[in-house]
Amino acid sequence: MTTSPHTGTPAAPGDPNSRVHVVLAVKNLAGAKSRLATALPGSRRADLVVAMLLDTATAAASSSSVVGWSVVTPDPRVADAAARAGATTVSEPDLPVSDPTAPGGVDGLNRALSAAHDAVRGSGVDVVALAADLPALTTAEFDGAYRAATPTGRSVVADHTGLGTSALVVRGSGVDLRPLFGPDSAARHVSSGAVALTGSWPGLRLDVDTEDDVRRAVALGVGDRTLAVLTNAGWPVGEHRSRQ
């Protein structure tokens, strides 16, 4: 855990001594965002996934507390885009051949996030595992959730449906990430001991999977890259502009 150089006590969220590493996991782009298939062709959906990842990471990495970010992915295009944007890339861990979720299933996602957490353990940082499809996220929302997190342990931000998880925050040395993403992950994270955070952070809670989600995100205001992809795809963005 980061400590104050003057008191030796844990650095509070928002303290200039706080140090945070953000981890994100992205599946293979093949078949990405299939629930948007009627609105966007496959190539555009792949572009959108990369754009949302980079906009999500940009909003988080702009926090004064964030000292680095990692992306775990099996997809070379995602890895290349993330690396060029300044991320550390982590190879997705191999799963047993007999594992019915391999490759890229829920268990693969959780193992990937754990691998990214393990890569920075021992470096004195707190870790925030973020959904990679939060194009309306703002830095202020990221900071607000981090400040609200329990000072030692795990905290969870449920998505806009109340069922999924947008962010899992780990603060304190020796605390495992223990990601449980998948169906009803918000409740499963709480059942496993994570503290549910109740702040009003619409961009942080809005992970994009459906056409309605895209419309909500555009109404809030999305990052520059996401806006460009949607505009080029002919999505009706109207007068909406970047939120970041």
Side-chain angles (χ1 to χ4, degrees):
M1 181 185 300
T2 304
T3 59
S4 164
H6 301 296
T7 65
T9 58
D15 184 296
N17 295 298
S18 294
R19 299 171 68 244
V20 184
H21 192 95
V22 177
V23 298
L24 309 99
V26 181
K27 298 177 183 178
N28 199 296
L29 291 177
K33 296 297 178 186
S34 59
R35 283 186 280 177
L36 291 173
T38 59
L40 295 171
S43 60
R44 294 292 192 186
R45 296 199 306 275
D47 292 343
L48 183 62
V49 170
V50 175
M52 290 194 298
L53 163 67
L54 296 177
D55 283 337
T56 300
T58 295
S62 295
S63 169
S64 60
S65 296
V66 172
V67 295
W69 58 288
S70 299
V71 172
V72 187
T73 182
D75 193 287
R77 179 184 170 188
V78 174
D80 180 65
R84 285 187 286 108
T88 299
T89 57
V90 181
S91 298
E92 188 173 82
D94 293 331
L95 294 178
V97 174
S98 60
D99 192 322
T101 66
V106 171
D107 192 50
L109 171 67
N110 289 320
R111 292 193 189 199
L113 289 169
S114 291
H117 182 217
D118 290 345
V120 297
R121 289 185 77 130
S123 58
V125 295
D126 297 330
V127 171
V128 178
L130 277 181
D133 53 359
L134 305 173
L137 175 67
T138 66
T139 305
E141 289 175 334
F142 178 88
D143 283 336
Y146 178 58
R147 286 194 299 270
T150 183
T152 303
R154 295 156 67 242
S155 301
V156 61
V157 178
D159 68 11
H160 64 291
T161 70
L163 301 175
T165 297
S166 291
L168 182 62
V169 183
V170 174
R171 302 201 68 226
S173 60
V175 180
D176 290 329
L177 183 64
R178 293 184 62 198
L180 298 169
F181 288 87
D184 299 318
S185 64
R188 290 191 293 121
H189 280 129
V190 171
S191 294
S192 71
V195 174
L197 302 181
T198 60
S200 177
W201 307 299
L204 175 58
R205 296 187 187 275
L206 185 51
D207 53 329
V208 169
D209 290 305
T210 68
E211 292 183 47
D212 283 343
D213 294 339
V214 175
R215 283 188 280 270
R216 292 188 187 100
V218 169
L220 282 175
V222 295
D224 291 338
R225 298 173 185 85
T226 301
L227 185 64
V229 169
L230 293 175
T231 299
N232 291 337
W235 191 277
V237 296
E239 295 301 316
H240 298 292
R241 292 293 181 265
S242 172
R243 196 172 189 220
Q244 296 168 8

